[in-house]
Amino acid sequence: MAHPIYNKNRQKIRKLPDKAETEAWVEHIFQWLFSIGEDYSDADFFTAREAVLKTELEKILNSVLTDHETKTVVKDFFNALETIHSWLEADLEAVFNFDPAAKSRSEVLVAYPGFFAIAIYRLAHQLWKSKVPVVPRLISEYVHSKTGIDIHPGAKIGERFFIDHGTGIVIGETTVIGNDVKIYQGVTLGALHVSKAKAEEKRHPTIGNKVIIYANATILGGNTEIGNDAIIGGNVWITNSIPKQSLVYHKSEIVIKNKAPFPEPLNFVI
């Protein structure tokens, strides 16, 4: 007689994508997309790898889609890659042009976790738009585990997006981000309330064009809009909309005292 836990599990088991294969595919397609490695100096190798990547993606998607759905999604995905690559080139250029620590585009490509997170988000978002279950979340969670940057594949992010440092960033499912936005480590674009009943509602903020959000800022709520060209300072907590071209900052008091011991008090005895 089977174990009762096994019996309960059997009732709920669904076919799932292989986690290790999905994570390996993420690394391979990133390398292919930017021709990273000496092997990519050969155009034939590039073409051959494309065929392998298509086959690997079909295998992953077959665990959650029908054969017909899989073929359609894979075809649409690879047809979209030229556009996605152009967007990523623009993201990369934005990082290189803005960050004084970036010495070369190649350095950004292989050593910047923020750029890696953006690149894989754009790929996962394409699968999300094709209504692929589970796999986009599996991809985004792999990047989350590697970089500390948690971007939900359902978020909508504009062109020339720049993440600096990145660790601790959270971007929720219904977030909308405009063009030329820059955000720093620890920023949360989240929901005001966590409720299953709100699953189909816009729960996360809208960020306008050319907005800069500094470290550890928290912006919450589906009705919260940050206007174009606004600058959001570090450590602020925002739950209401901010007009365009605003400067928002947290004012804290810093007290500096001398560590030297106090002089002995004068004692008067009357």
Side-chain angles (χ1 to χ4, degrees):
M1 183 177 177
H3 194 289
I5 293 178
Y6 176 81
N7 286 333
K8 287 183 180 178
N9 289 341
R10 287 291 297 171
Q11 295 171 10
K12 300 174 183 175
I13 283 178
R14 299 288 184 276
K15 196 175 178 183
L16 293 172
D18 186 287
K19 187 177 178 183
E21 288 181 357
T22 304
E23 293 174 356
W25 181 82
V26 168
E27 295 290 345
H28 294 160
I29 196 162
F30 182 78
Q31 293 169 359
W32 178 83
L33 207 51
F34 294 98
S35 299
I36 299 172
E38 291 185 8
D39 290 335
Y40 282 104
S41 59
D42 181 353
D44 291 338
F45 179 81
F46 183 88
T47 303
R49 285 299 296 164
E50 181 184 21
V52 171
L53 287 165
K54 285 181 178 177
T55 302
E56 290 176 347
L57 182 58
E58 283 179 3
K59 185 180 178 186
I60 293 166
L61 297 184
N62 263 328
S63 61
V64 293
L65 299 175
T66 65
D67 288 345
H68 176 70
E69 289 170 337
T70 294
K71 291 186 185 305
T72 301
V73 170
V74 171
K75 182 181 177 184
D76 291 346
F77 179 84
F78 276 86
N79 284 342
L81 283 184
E82 194 169 336
T83 300
I84 293 173
H85 182 264
S86 297
W87 279 49
L88 289 172
E89 286 284 351
D91 293 327
L92 195 156
E93 199 69 24
V95 176
F96 180 65
N97 290 337
F98 186 78
D99 187 354
K103 307 304 181 193
S104 70
R105 295 175 79 258
S106 296
E107 180 184 357
V108 175
L109 191 59
V110 299
Y112 273 57
F115 178 73
F116 183 72
I118 294 167
I120 304 307
Y121 151 76
R122 295 208 187 279
L123 298 175
H125 182 64
Q126 180 62 35
L127 295 175
W128 178 270
K129 288 194 299 183
S130 296
K131 302 187 184 305
V132 175
V134 186
V135 176
R137 290 304 307 276
L138 198 56
I139 292 172
S140 62
E141 281 309 307
Y142 172 61
V143 176
H144 184 192
S145 69
K146 281 195 70 173
T147 66
I149 300 168
D150 182 5
I151 307 177
H152 194 287
K156 296 177 182 175
I157 300 178
E159 298 180 62
R160 298 174 296 281
F161 185 46
F162 174 37
I163 290 176
D164 202 6
H165 304 293
T167 305
I169 285 175
V170 177
I171 299 175
E173 178 184 358
T174 61
T175 302
V176 177
I177 297 176
N179 297 326
D180 302 295
V181 170
K182 301 175 177 68
I183 67 175
Y184 289 73
Q185 68 274 14
V187 167
T188 296
L189 306 179
L192 261 178
H193 307 287
V194 178
S195 168
K196 199 69 176 176
K198 296 181 180 294
E200 302 302 320
E201 298 180 11
K202 188 177 185 315
R203 309 181 303 282
H204 307 92
T206 297
I207 311 298
N209 297 324
K210 297 183 179 178
V211 171
I212 301 176
I213 308 173
Y214 283 102
N216 299 316
T218 298
I219 304 172
L220 306 178
N223 294 324
T224 303
E225 297 186 11
I226 307 299
N228 294 341
D229 297 292
I231 296 177
I232 309 299
N235 298 313
V236 300
W237 179 275
I238 296 173
T239 57
N240 292 298
S241 293
I242 302 295
K244 64 181 182 181
Q245 297 184 323
S246 296
L247 173 61
V248 182
Y249 62 93
H250 174 74
K251 186 177 181 181
S252 61
E253 182 182 8
I254 298 175
V255 179
I256 302 175
K257 292 183 177 180
N258 193 323
K259 291 173 65 180
F262 288 105
E264 287 293 324
L266 295 175
N267 293 319
F268 294 94
V269 177
I270 300 176

